[in-house]
Amino acid sequence: MKKFQWVRIYLLLLIVTLFTLTAFTGIKESYIIYRKTAFQKAIARSDEGIANASDVIIDRIGAVAKSAGREQYDRIMELVRAEDDNEMSERELESLFRTGYAGSIKTGIGEDSSSICASFNSYITDAGLDNVSVYDNDLTAIDTVTDENGSVISLLIRNVTICYDSPVSGRRSDNISYRIQFPDAVFHSGSDELFSYCMASQKGIYITGKTSSVIGDIFAGKHTSEECREAESVYGETGTFGGLNILSTQLGVRSDIVVSTGDININGSFVMFTPNTGDMKCYAQRLNEIKGFYRDSSYTMDGTLYPTYKMSEETLTDYYNAINLIEISLSGLDGISVYYDSDNDGGYECRYRKLLSNSDIEIRDDFAGIVATPKNVIIDSDVNVEGLILCGDRIYAMGNNNIVANAAVARTVLDYESDSGYGIMIGDYIGGMKAAGLTDPDHYVVPYR
């Protein structure tokens, strides 16, 4: 009986010991799980802290960039208005804007690693974020990327190291770079690409009479045989109709781009083709030298003639881009429903004229401004035109004409419309026009790795 009692005591002690060991093991495993969970949560907090810090940096850079864009735009516009300077092209003004914009951002953020990191750390401190900072490893930089002409095309902040220090998980870091987007800045209403043209006609251009000159780009479309007119037959059109036709005259053409979707017909004429500002490119199905009644035909070309039937892929792309520009520009002319001449409008105060009509326009006196009609334009003998003629049908120049593109003239008309809001707007009938102003990008700052 006594022996049985000791066995019972032994078994009880064994059970207690086993229970204690089991409980201890469970507590240890729970502690390990707790430590792992706490570590994982600390890592998550670190990653979240780094992400929050990056968001703060993006927001503050965005604010600096937006302010820099507005200040730079206003500064250039003040200069343009003060000097009444429509001579600088939109491209030149945009280049000035992008350079000044990038410089202002560098001034606001810093231009070396230590000053950039100091700025970013101040953003983080101001936001009240704890345990997170930007580490200056002397690799952080702000770089402007330029094209072959030296124009700024991109602004990058590289190698920003954001660190989070946790008592549980230690230091975690991430290396992030930021691309700063440029706002869309337009300083002159209109389209500089279109304003390099002096004449754009959907169905052909016909030039005759005394010696004339054309300075600026030219677009001459074509028409069907059913649309032929008796008066045009002497120009020598064959096969295709429309295009650029020159009859019994001497003509100087100074252009960078001449586009004829039909032929160029030189009939009893002498024509000199020379570049205006760069290399001259002349696109046509064919260039025909036709012997006239009283004289032979000849031409000289200081440029390149590209017959459409043997253009390279690259040249075809340029050709169709030019066609697309004019098609868009002329697409709204059919919407003109009235005749309007700013010379007859006492309230019109722009120094350049605008003339639009839903019927043929005859220019009888020297003209500086913009002409637009879905019909024909006739330029009388001894009349000079400066600016832009947009025609949905045909242009006839009758001799001793100087027809000159002037982007500053066209811009002034469109800027006046934009600023004053007065009268019938010729810009409403020209496709592809841009209004002057500053447009924010969707995001001023885009992070990348």
Side-chain angles (χ1 to χ4, degrees):
M1 190 70 179
K2 188 175 181 181
K3 182 178 181 182
F4 180 71
Q5 190 70 20
W6 276 106
V7 170
R8 289 178 64 188
I9 293 171
Y10 173 76
L11 290 173
L12 182 61
L13 289 173
L14 181 60
I15 290 169
V16 171
T17 301
L18 289 173
F19 178 79
T20 302
L21 288 172
T22 301
F24 179 79
T25 301
I27 291 170
K28 183 179 179 181
E29 289 178 354
S30 296
Y31 179 71
I32 292 172
I33 293 171
Y34 168 77
R35 285 291 303 272
K36 287 182 178 179
T37 301
F39 190 81
Q40 290 170 350
K41 287 182 177 180
I43 291 175
R45 281 194 297 272
S46 298
D47 293 342
E48 182 180 2
I50 291 171
N52 289 340
S54 181
D55 289 343
V56 166
I57 290 170
I58 288 171
D59 288 343
R60 290 293 298 272
I61 296 174
V64 171
K66 185 170 185 176
S67 176
R70 174 48 62 186
E71 289 175 4
Q72 184 65 17
Y73 183 84
D74 290 344
R75 188 177 296 119
I76 293 176
M77 284 302 294
E78 285 177 9
L79 177 65
V80 170
R81 293 189 181 107
E83 298 185 0
D84 195 21
D85 185 7
N86 272 322
E87 293 299 325
M88 290 190 71
S89 71
E90 190 70 29
R91 184 173 296 177
E92 290 170 327
L93 291 171
E94 183 185 12
S95 179
L96 280 177
F97 170 80
R98 295 174 77 89
T99 300
Y101 173 75
S104 293
I105 292 173
K106 287 182 176 181
T107 300
I109 292 174
E111 297 193 46
D112 55 50
S113 185
S114 61
S115 58
I116 295 170
C117 292
S119 294
F120 290 175
N121 277 320
S122 71
Y123 302 162
I124 293 168
T125 300
D126 292 344
L129 299 182
D130 297 325
N131 304 322
V132 63
S133 62
V134 173
Y135 173 64
D136 182 11
N137 55 10
D138 206 31
L139 296 176
T140 302
I142 184 167
D143 298 325
T144 52
V145 182
T146 59
D147 61 17
E148 62 274 10
N149 299 316
S151 297
V152 177
I153 58 175
S154 186
L155 183 61
L156 307 173
I157 302 175
R158 306 180 193 269
N159 299 319
V160 178
T161 302
I162 304 175
C163 301
Y164 190 96
D165 292 296
S166 167
V168 176
S169 59
R171 167 167 284 195
R172 288 180 64 80
S173 64
D174 196 4
N175 189 275
I176 306 172
S177 297
Y178 302 95
R179 178 176 288 105
I180 300 176
Q181 308 286 81
F182 287 73
D184 184 18
V186 179
F187 297 93
H188 298 300
S189 297
S191 165
D192 268 18
E193 194 174 7
L194 174 64
F195 293 165
S196 69
Y197 285 80
C198 60
M199 293 186 287
S201 175
Q202 194 71 58
K203 296 183 180 180
I205 295 175
Y206 299 82
I207 301 173
T208 191
K210 297 178 183 178
T211 300
S212 294
S213 65
V214 175
I215 301 174
D217 297 340
I218 302 169
F219 182 93
K222 61 184 179 181
H223 59 261
T224 65
S225 58
E226 289 76 20
E227 295 175 289
C228 287
R229 296 168 179 165
E230 185 177 348
E232 297 166 3
S233 60
V234 295
Y235 284 84
E237 297 170 307
T238 56
T240 60
F241 302 92
L244 178 59
N245 301 276
I246 303 161
L247 172 67
S248 300
T249 189
Q250 295 185 70
L251 178 67
V253 177
R254 203 170 83 198
S255 306
D256 293 326
I257 299 173
V258 175
V259 179
S260 174
T261 59
D263 293 347
I264 296 176
N265 295 307
I266 300 174
N267 188 342
S269 300
F270 173 68
V271 183
M272 293 180 62
F273 293 97
T274 57
N276 189 19
T277 61
D279 297 328
M280 182 182 189
K281 297 179 180 179
C282 183
Y283 307 95
Q285 292 199 32
R286 291 174 296 274
L287 193 155
N288 303 314
E289 296 177 82
I290 304 166
K291 185 175 181 179
F293 292 113
Y294 304 109
R295 69 180 80 171
D296 290 336
S297 295
S298 63
Y299 76 94
T300 63
M301 182 174 292
D302 182 11
T304 306
L305 174 65
Y306 295 100
T308 54
Y309 66 90
K310 59 178 182 180
M311 287 184 189
S312 67
E313 184 176 346
E314 180 181 357
T315 304
L316 272 173
T317 298
D318 293 339
Y319 172 65
Y320 284 119
N321 284 342
I323 292 174
N324 187 56
L325 169 69
I326 300 303
E327 286 182 345
I328 291 172
S329 300
L330 302 183
S331 62
L333 297 185
D334 286 334
I336 299 174
S337 59
V338 297
Y339 175 85
Y340 175 81
D341 184 348
S342 61
D343 272 4
N344 301 326
D345 186 345
Y348 183 79
E349 296 180 349
C350 180
R351 66 180 181 273
Y352 297 119
R353 187 175 170 191
K354 59 181 177 183
L355 178 56
L356 58 160
S357 176
N358 57 347
S359 58
D360 292 351
I361 289 177
E362 183 176 1
I363 304 176
R364 298 184 176 92
D365 303 298
D366 288 353
F367 182 97
I370 302 177
V371 176
T373 177
K375 301 299 184 180
N376 303 286
V377 174
I378 302 97
I379 307 169
D380 285 355
S381 299
D382 307 318
V383 170
N384 302 312
V385 178
E386 183 178 13
L388 175 64
I389 301 174
L390 298 174
C391 172
D393 206 310
R394 280 160 263 207
I395 296 173
Y396 300 96
M398 306 312 296
N400 195 29
N401 307 119
N402 297 299
I403 305 169
V404 181
N406 191 325
V409 168
R411 287 192 209 110
T412 301
V413 173
L414 272 294
D415 284 339
Y416 174 80
E417 289 188 343
S418 177
D419 293 341
S420 70
Y422 177 82
I424 296 174
M425 305 291 181
I426 200 168
D428 289 345
Y429 303 103
I430 305 174
M433 295 292 97
K434 287 186 175 181
L438 188 70
T439 304
D440 294 331
D442 291 337
H443 303 283
Y444 266 99
V445 183
V446 178
Y448 71 97
R449 299 183 186 281

